[in-house]
Amino acid sequence: MKAMILAAGLGTRMRPLTDHCPKPLLTVAGKPLIVHHLERLATAGIHDIVINVSYRGQQIIDALGDGERYGVSLQFSVERTPLETAGGLRQALPLLGEAPFILVNGDVWTDFPLARLALATDDLASLVMVDTTDFHRRGDFHLDAQGRLHVDGEPRLIYAGLGVVHPELVADLPAGEAIKLAPLLIDAMQAGRVGGWHHRGDWVDVGTPQRLAELEARLNQG
C-alpha cells in the first residue's frame, strides 16, 4: 500500500513560525514533523510515499530528497496554488495508482499503529477517529458499534487526519481545481461506504505554536 502525506497548506495558524518555513519542516523532538511520519510509515512497511507540496514546496523537496535516508521512496505532487485536500488527491492520482492508499495530514502526530490501516471491500474510505477536544468540542462524525461512520449521531468524534482512501472517491473530480474532502466523505457515509476506528491513544493536531511546544515537551519527556 502507498501513502500520501498532505503538506501543501499555508500554515497560517502557525505564524510567525511558518513565515519562512513550511509547517511540515517545523522541528519537534529533534526532527521535522514530516520526518516522524516518514519513519513511522517505513517501520510499518509502507515505503512508497507521495507528498503534495505548494507553499514553500521546494524547501520540502530539497530537505527530504528521494527519501532514501528514511528508508522510503518519495514522489512529490507540486501544486502551484493549494488545491484543498480532495483537489490535491485528484492531482496526485497518477502517482498513487488505482489501489487504496493511506492518507496522512502532515500537521498531526499520533501513535496509532499504522499497520492496522486497511479498507473493507466496497468502502471508499476508513478514518481514524479520536475523542473531541477543547478546540473542537462538536466533533466531526459518529462512529457506531459496528465501526461505521455517520454524519449524524452521538457521541461525536474528531477525524484524526489519518485513514485509508480508495482512489474512486476522487477519481471523477475535475483536475486542477481546489476541492474540499469533507463533502465527498459525507456523500460516501450516506451511501454506507465509510468505516472507522476509535483511537484512544496519543494524538495531537499540531496546528498552533502552543500545541507544537506542548508536543515537543511531551516527546522529550518520553
Side-chain angles (χ1 to χ4, degrees):
M1 187 182 291
K2 292 186 177 182
M4 179 163 177
I5 301 176
L6 300 171
L10 299 176
T12 52
R13 292 182 301 159
M14 277 296 217
R15 288 176 176 166
L17 300 180
T18 52
D19 285 345
H20 304 286
C21 177
K23 183 161 56 171
L25 293 185
L26 294 176
T27 299
V28 60
K31 65 187 73 171
L33 184 60
I34 197 169
V35 170
H36 288 275
H37 288 313
L38 298 180
E39 292 178 346
R40 295 197 68 240
L41 287 165
T43 299
I46 301 147
H47 302 287
D48 294 321
I49 301 170
V50 177
I51 302 174
N52 72 328
V53 296
S54 184
Y55 173 70
R56 298 192 176 274
Q58 193 60 47
Q59 285 182 239
I60 298 174
I61 295 171
D62 292 343
L64 302 180
D66 61 7
E68 182 179 4
R69 82 192 82 165
Y70 310 112
V72 297
S73 175
L74 297 180
Q75 297 184 84
F76 295 92
S77 178
V78 180
E79 303 171 13
R80 287 196 293 178
T81 58
L83 296 175
E84 297 284 0
T85 301
L89 296 183
R90 171 63 181 85
Q91 175 165 301
L93 283 187
L95 302 177
L96 291 166
E98 299 180 355
F101 57 89
I102 292 171
L103 181 63
V104 187
N105 285 9
D107 58 357
V108 300
W109 189 93
T110 180
D111 60 358
F112 182 87
L114 299 179
R116 288 185 57 196
L117 293 171
L119 194 63
T121 303
D122 295 330
D123 274 1
L124 291 174
S126 196
L127 310 178
V128 177
M129 307 296 294
V130 294
D131 291 331
T132 55
T133 66
D134 289 342
F135 59 85
H136 192 5
R137 290 202 173 278
R138 173 61 185 141
D140 295 313
F141 308 118
H142 169 62
L143 181 69
D144 68 24
Q146 289 71 45
R148 310 302 298 171
L149 279 170
H150 305 273
V151 178
D152 299 312
E154 298 291 340
R156 311 284 291 176
L157 297 173
I158 296 173
Y159 170 47
L162 174 65
V164 184
V165 173
H166 196 290
E168 183 185 339
L169 184 67
V170 298
D172 292 335
L173 297 178
E177 293 189 14
I179 302 172
K180 295 181 181 294
L181 184 62
L184 302 179
L185 290 173
I186 289 171
D187 288 346
M189 285 179 204
Q190 292 172 336
R193 301 183 68 184
V194 182
W197 301 268
H198 185 181
H199 179 53
R200 295 173 173 84
D202 212 356
W203 176 80
V204 180
D205 173 4
V206 194
T208 65
Q210 178 182 350
R211 283 183 231 147
L212 180 69
E214 290 170 354
L215 178 60
E216 171 84 22
R218 284 167 53 190
L219 294 181
N220 285 335
Q221 286 176 357

